[in-house]
Each structure stands twice: as structure tokens, then as C-alpha cells.
């Protein structure tokens, strides 16, 4: 049976889906020596998922620098606390690597923010938004994409919390790790569907979505 996916996912259905949460190991990286070990591990993996977090600013025109870089394998997610670590030599080596694909979403924004923290030449990055368009999906948010492809909900409750706090909460860690790890899951599923054609794309207009939402 082919997987059913939608060109536009009804966002009103997301709250009723079961929540997905990264269940692997989460490691906070605070020093260059810790970063070196983390990067050695990550560069030995076949793929990585990446994302960043920034402390929200509620002052018009003011944008804080990226505070956290989360990079995940299938089993382990490392949280590089850039507000303390900066673009250290090991972090730079990771970002400049050209051998292991680093999967993210809206990477232009993430890389722009990272460049504001320190200098580096961007390595091998793949943006999910470029690939979902290839099979006709128009949604570009991570939450909608994961709901569409896996029928699970990514919680965004921790997004506007303080990512520069002295100690990150367990909920912050789980949120950050999940965002990075789900990028891997989405990319691998996209590649599988592109290669096998084992899916059916259902196209809906905004009017149809509104009708479905009303009926729901």
C-alpha cells in the first residue's frame, strides 16, 4: 500500500497526533576538548541532522546570536553551546566538512546566524526544503512535514525559551535534539519515496483544506 502524502497538510490536525521525541543519547558540549570528541564521532557517521536555537528577542530590531548548534546522528545528539564555546576549531572543522551530508531545514537562515558567531566556509549541507518540492509537497515547516510523512507531532513548546540559560532544562534538550534528529528521518524517507515511487500525492486547494478543517 502506497504512503499517502499531501501537497499541503492541514495544520489543524497536528495537535491530535502522537508526539515524537528523540529517544537517543543527548550530550551537551561546553568546551573545545568536548567538541573535539563530539566532532570526531560525528564525522565517522554516514549522515547528520542539524539545527540551531537562538534566545528570543522581544525588542524590535534586535536579534540575538545563535546560542545552540544541535547536531545528531541516528543514536546521539550533541548540543554545542555556542554562547559559551563560539565557533571553536572543532566546531569549524564540523561546519566545513565536505564528506558527511548535514541535513537541515531553511539552512540559509541557520548558516547566516552561524556566520554571525564566527568565520567558516560552509561544507556539505542539504536543505530539506529543496527536496520536498521535488515530489510536490508545498509545506516547508518541519512540524508540518513530519506530520505529513510520519503522522507524528513535533512539539514547539520550548522554541521561545532562554537558550542562553546557564543550564538547559531536560525539555529544552529534548526539543533541540528532536528537531535535529527528525531532519535525518525526513531526508531518508524522502530518498526512499523518490527511489521507489511508493507514495501517492494528494493535492488539495486551500478551499478544500478549509472544508476538511470545518468537518474535523
Amino acid at each position: 500500500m502506497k504512503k499517502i502524502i499531501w501537497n499541503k497538510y492541514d495544520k489543524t490536525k497536528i495537535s491530535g497526533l502522537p508526539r515524537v521525541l528523540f529517544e537517543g543519547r543527548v550530550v551537551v558540549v561546553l568546551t573545545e576538548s568536548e567538541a573535539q570528541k563530539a566532532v570526531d564521532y560525528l564525522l565517522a557517521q554516514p549522515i547528520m541532522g542539524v539545527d540551531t536555537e537562538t534566545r528570543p528577542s522581544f525588542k524590535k530590531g534586535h536579534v540575538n546570536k545563535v546560542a545552540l548548534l544541535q547536531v545528531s546522528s541516528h543514536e546521539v545528539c550533541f548540543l554545542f553551546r555556542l554562547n559559551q564555546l563560539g565557533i571553536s576549531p572543532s566546531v569549524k572543522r564540523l561546519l566545513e566538512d565536505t564528506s558527511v551530508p548535514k541535513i537541515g531545514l531553511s539552512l540559509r537562515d541557520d548558516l547566516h546566524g552561524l556566520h554571525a558567531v564566527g568565520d567558516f566556509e560552509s561544507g556539505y549541507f542539504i536543505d530539506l526544503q529543496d527536496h520536498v518540492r521535488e515530489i510536490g509537497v508545498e509545506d516547508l515547516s518541519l512540524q508540518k512535514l513530519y506530520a505529513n510523512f510520519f503522522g507524528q507531532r513535533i512539539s514547539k513548546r520550548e522554541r521561545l525559551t532562554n537558550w542562553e540559560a546557564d543550564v538547559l532544562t531536560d525539555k529544552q534538550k529534548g526539543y533541540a535534539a528532536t528537531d535535529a534528529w527528525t531532519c535525518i528521518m525526513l531526508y531518508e524517507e524522502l530518498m526512499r519515496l523518490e527511489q521507489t515511487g511508493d507514495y501517492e500525492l494528494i493535492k488539495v486547494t486551500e478551499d478544500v483544506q478549509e472544508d476538511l478543517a470545518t468537518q474535523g
Side-chain angles (χ1 to χ4, degrees), residues 32-81:
E32 169 58 14
S33 61
E34 292 172 348
Q36 183 177 350
K37 294 176 183 177
V39 172
D40 287 344
Y41 168 86
L42 288 166
L43 293 183
Q45 305 306 306
I47 193 171
M48 306 177 209
V50 300
D51 194 19
T52 64
E53 303 298 337
T54 302
R55 180 182 179 178
S57 172
F58 301 104
K59 293 182 180 180
K60 186 175 181 180
H62 177 75
V63 178
N64 292 312
K65 289 187 176 182
V66 173
L68 188 74
L69 167 66
Q70 56 262 47
V71 187
S72 184
S73 69
H74 286 93
E75 296 86 17
V76 185
C77 184
F78 295 92
L79 307 183
F80 296 87
R81 301 214 61 191

Side-chain angles (χ1 to χ4, degrees), residues 20-39:
V20 61
L21 188 66
F22 178 62
E23 296 182 353
R25 183 181 173 205
V26 181
V27 180
V28 178
V29 179
L30 296 169
T31 67
E32 169 58 14
S33 61
E34 292 172 348
Q36 183 177 350
K37 294 176 183 177
V39 172

Side-chain angles (χ1 to χ4, degrees), residues 52-184:
T52 64
E53 303 298 337
T54 302
R55 180 182 179 178
S57 172
F58 301 104
K59 293 182 180 180
K60 186 175 181 180
H62 177 75
V63 178
N64 292 312
K65 289 187 176 182
V66 173
L68 188 74
L69 167 66
Q70 56 262 47
V71 187
S72 184
S73 69
H74 286 93
E75 296 86 17
V76 185
C77 184
F78 295 92
L79 307 183
F80 296 87
R81 301 214 61 191
L82 300 187
N83 58 311
Q84 300 182 35
L85 184 64
I87 304 295
S88 72
S90 293
V91 173
K92 183 176 181 180
R93 177 162 63 99
L94 175 68
L95 295 173
E96 293 187 340
D97 168 72
T98 58
S99 61
V100 184
K102 300 160 193 66
I103 316 302
L105 189 87
S106 190
L107 281 171
R108 180 180 297 178
D109 295 335
D110 284 331
L111 290 171
H112 178 76
L114 289 167
H115 280 294
V117 178
D119 293 330
F120 64 92
E121 295 292 329
S122 300
Y124 187 7
F125 288 88
I126 296 175
D127 196 323
L128 284 167
Q129 291 182 342
D130 295 332
H131 283 275
V132 295
R133 293 187 180 99
E134 294 175 0
I135 63 173
V137 174
E138 298 175 44
D139 291 323
L140 297 179
S141 76
L142 186 63
Q143 189 181 52
K144 277 191 175 183
L145 287 174
Y146 211 83
N148 197 355
F149 283 87
F150 291 101
Q152 293 180 302
R153 169 178 57 89
I154 297 175
S155 174
K156 290 296 179 181
R157 188 169 297 175
E158 303 301 314
R159 184 172 67 90
L160 295 179
T161 56
N162 181 11
W163 295 101
E164 296 179 11
D166 290 341
V167 178
L168 296 178
T169 67
D170 288 342
K171 288 184 178 181
Q172 284 179 308
K173 294 175 188 177
Y175 168 89
T178 299
D179 271 11
W181 171 74
T182 51
C183 287
I184 297 177

Side-chain angles (χ1 to χ4, degrees), residues 194-207:
E194 284 189 357
Q195 292 168 9
T196 63
D198 187 27
Y199 68 94
E200 179 181 350
L201 179 72
I202 297 180
K203 295 184 177 181
V204 294
T205 64
E206 291 184 2
D207 290 338

